Structure formats: C-alpha cells, structure tokens
C-alpha cells in the first residue's frame, strides 16, 4: 500500500503471531538472553505469568508496520515513543494499529 499523503483518521493494522521459537531466534539475533525473557521460574518470581517477549522484538513489529504497510516500503521510521503497559507472552498474536491524528 503506497500512500503519498496522510489524512486525519487514516489507519492501518497488522497482526503478527509470536511463537516461543520466534523469541528464541530473537535471543540469538540480539544476544539478549536476560532471564526475564528466557527463564519461566525467574519471570514468575518477578511477578509475570512466564517469560516476557522482548520490547525490542515488539518495536521491530512497529518497524514492519511503518516500513512495509503504513505508509509503505519508502517510509523511514524516524522517532518512536513507546510504553509497555502490558506484558506479552509467547505464543500469542499481537495486533498493531496505526492512525493519523
């Protein structure tokens, strides 16, 4: 989808499955094997249901949304302000929504 100009209210969403294997692959790529992301006992003792998907993995999905879908392949993500309000656990399907305000 190529968009030459944005309009207020314009939006786009994508869904992405995240598997345990995806998280393991991300650990290998990033080198971030922190126990919060890789050790179920540690994560539970820290107050989570299990290992938490890396925030950087989720930001990579935002990059996918901007760079491939909204507005598309010629886009450059210049700035991002992110808050992680809820933990994300694998296996799951995440949905990313973008809108023009």
């Amino acid at each position: 989808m190529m968009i030459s100009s944005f309009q207020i209210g314009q939006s786009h969403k994508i869904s992405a499955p995240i598997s345990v294997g995806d998280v393991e692959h991300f650990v290998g790529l990033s080198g971030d094997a922190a126990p919060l992301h890789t050790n179920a006992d540690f994560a539970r003792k820290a107050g989570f249901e299990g290992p938490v998907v890396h925030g950087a993995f989720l930001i990579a999905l935002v990059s996918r949304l901007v760079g491939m879908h909204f507005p598309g392949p010629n886009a450059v993500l210049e700035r991002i302000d992110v808050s992680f309000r809820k933990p994300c656990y694998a296996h799951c399907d995440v949905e990313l929504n973008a809108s023009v305000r």
Side-chain angles (χ1 to χ4, degrees):
M1 173 170 135
M2 183 55 131
I3 300 170
S4 59
S5 63
F6 288 112
Q7 302 294 322
I8 300 293
Q10 183 178 352
S11 64
H12 188 78
K13 67 181 176 182
I14 63 170
S15 296
I18 300 175
S19 70
V20 172
D22 292 332
V23 173
E24 291 170 351
H25 190 68
F26 187 83
V27 167
L29 289 170
S30 68
D32 182 355
L36 181 63
H37 306 298
T38 59
N39 184 300
D41 289 334
F42 180 91
R44 280 192 285 276
K45 287 177 185 171
F48 297 95
E49 294 174 19
V52 177
V53 175
H54 298 71
F57 185 112
L58 300 172
I59 291 170
L61 296 176
V62 173
S63 180
R64 178 192 301 174
L65 172 64
V66 172
M68 300 305 296
H69 301 281
F70 189 69
N74 293 324
V76 175
L77 182 60
E78 293 182 3
R79 180 180 169 168
I80 187 169
D81 182 10
V82 178
S83 297
F84 300 104
R85 295 187 176 117
K86 294 181 184 179
C88 179
Y89 306 102
H91 184 89
C92 65
D93 291 309
V94 295
E95 183 175 278
L96 290 87
N97 297 288
S99 60
V100 179
R101 295 195 275 177

